[in-house]
Amino acid sequence: RGRALAHGFPDWRPRRVVLVRHGESEGNVDDAIYRGTPDAEVALTARGRAQAERAGAALRRLLPDATRAAERGEQGCVQVVVSPYLRTRQTLEGLLRGWALPDGAVQPPRQDPRLREQEFSGGLQLDDGAMQRVKEDRKSEEWGSAKFFFRFPDGESGADVYDRSTQALDSIFRSWDKPPEPRATLIVAHGLLIRLLLMRYFKWTVDQFDGLRNPPNCGVVVLERTPTGHYELVHNRVAYREGDLMTCFTAEAGK
């Protein structure tokens, strides 16, 4: 600790930051679940739990420095920040089972409510067909980038979620100034939140954001620290599948 990279950025920032979307949830396969279950309590399916364990096994390849440090007995070398929703917490459990690090390697996971899913009706149950209408509106090109600013009645707009995701990202960066110093940071959240965190960090415009798609269930996005201390998106066949993320922005994002 105490060394600095070019431009004064500290070299104790984690080498890699990994963002993972939750696994397949009951809401992903049956919109009717939202009529009787609050969004925060929607659980993973059996397939979603299996996706999480497979993604956890992939972290051994995606985060080799942190994995080696953990297996050498280094304590607290992995930082974890997770949305408090049930499906993201269950995903984290599966990721850690699949990663299979020694005890003590992972810092106690920190739940951050600001990483929760966009609220469509105050986080409570939705009426018949409401979630399907939300999905159709998101796919529609009729409104263009204006969709980013549309606030659902009793819910949030994309701009609202951007504001709180910005605060969450700032908190994560500030946490790196305090020990223990992580080798890697793992963020488990929702598709929209992941896109917004990337938008905030890489300063993408609303139009650029509108061209992005959510990562798939348990899709993994990897950021790597450069010699200047900035982060850039990493091209990795494990992390990306064609069409799941708008990869034409990745070269620009590293500038």
Side-chain angles (χ1 to χ4, degrees):
R1 193 177 178 90
R3 298 185 303 275
L5 302 169
H7 307 298
F9 285 93
D11 68 349
W12 60 82
R13 284 183 175 179
R15 178 76 179 187
R16 283 192 169 184
V17 177
V18 172
L19 303 96
V20 183
R21 185 188 176 193
H22 63 79
E24 181 187 80
S25 73
E26 293 173 344
N28 292 140
V29 298
D30 184 7
D31 292 339
I33 190 72
Y34 293 104
R35 296 203 299 266
T37 305
D39 195 13
E41 297 176 10
V42 172
L44 293 184
T45 62
R47 182 185 180 195
R49 292 191 292 272
Q51 288 172 334
E53 292 203 23
R54 286 197 298 271
L59 292 179
R60 300 187 70 85
R61 300 190 297 274
L62 292 170
L63 297 171
D65 292 345
T67 299
R68 286 193 295 267
E71 292 178 341
R72 291 195 304 267
E74 188 171 318
Q75 299 289 290
C77 58
V78 176
Q79 177 190 37
V80 175
V81 187
V82 60
S83 158
Y85 278 27
L86 179 58
R87 57 187 177 271
T88 43
R89 290 186 284 115
Q90 290 178 329
T91 299
L92 175 59
E93 292 170 0
L95 290 168
L96 296 181
R97 281 196 300 272
W99 200 355
L101 295 180
D103 291 344
V106 179
Q107 298 175 18
R110 178 168 65 84
Q111 293 185 21
D112 192 331
R114 295 170 296 187
L115 294 179
R116 68 188 184 277
E117 176 62 286
Q118 180 180 10
E119 294 181 357
F120 303 108
S121 63
L124 302 178
Q125 294 94 331
L126 299 174
D127 59 25
D128 288 351
M131 185 53 67
Q132 184 59 39
R133 293 195 297 273
V134 168
K135 292 179 179 179
E136 289 173 357
D137 286 343
R138 280 182 167 182
K139 293 178 181 178
S140 173
E141 297 182 0
E142 182 177 352
W143 284 22
S145 60
K147 290 184 294 185
F148 183 81
F149 303 101
F150 172 76
R151 180 177 291 115
F152 290 92
D154 301 319
E156 296 179 298
S157 68
D160 293 330
V161 184
Y162 175 87
D163 290 342
R164 60 174 164 85
S165 66
T166 292
Q167 295 172 353
L169 187 65
D170 289 345
S171 293
I172 291 170
F173 269 71
R174 288 196 301 271
S175 73
W176 295 336
D177 291 333
K178 304 173 184 177
E181 301 159 6
R183 302 263 183 170
T185 293
L186 173 64
I187 302 171
V188 186
H190 308 267
L192 178 72
L193 261 294
I194 289 173
R195 287 192 292 145
L196 287 169
L197 290 171
L198 295 173
M199 177 188 181
R200 170 64 181 85
Y201 183 75
F202 293 119
K203 300 180 176 62
W204 290 336
T205 66
V206 171
D207 286 335
Q208 287 174 314
F209 171 84
D210 192 53
L212 294 170
R213 296 191 225 172
N214 282 344
N217 291 122
C218 274
V220 179
V221 178
V222 181
L223 306 179
E224 184 168 63
R225 193 187 71 201
T226 67
T228 65
H230 296 90
Y231 285 91
E232 65 181 6
L233 283 164
V234 175
H235 279 290
N236 189 302
R237 291 186 180 276
V238 177
Y240 294 97
R241 299 174 188 172
E242 184 64 24
D244 287 330
L245 198 63
M246 195 154 136
T247 55
C248 65
F249 284 153
T250 58
E252 175 182 302
K255 292 181 181 178

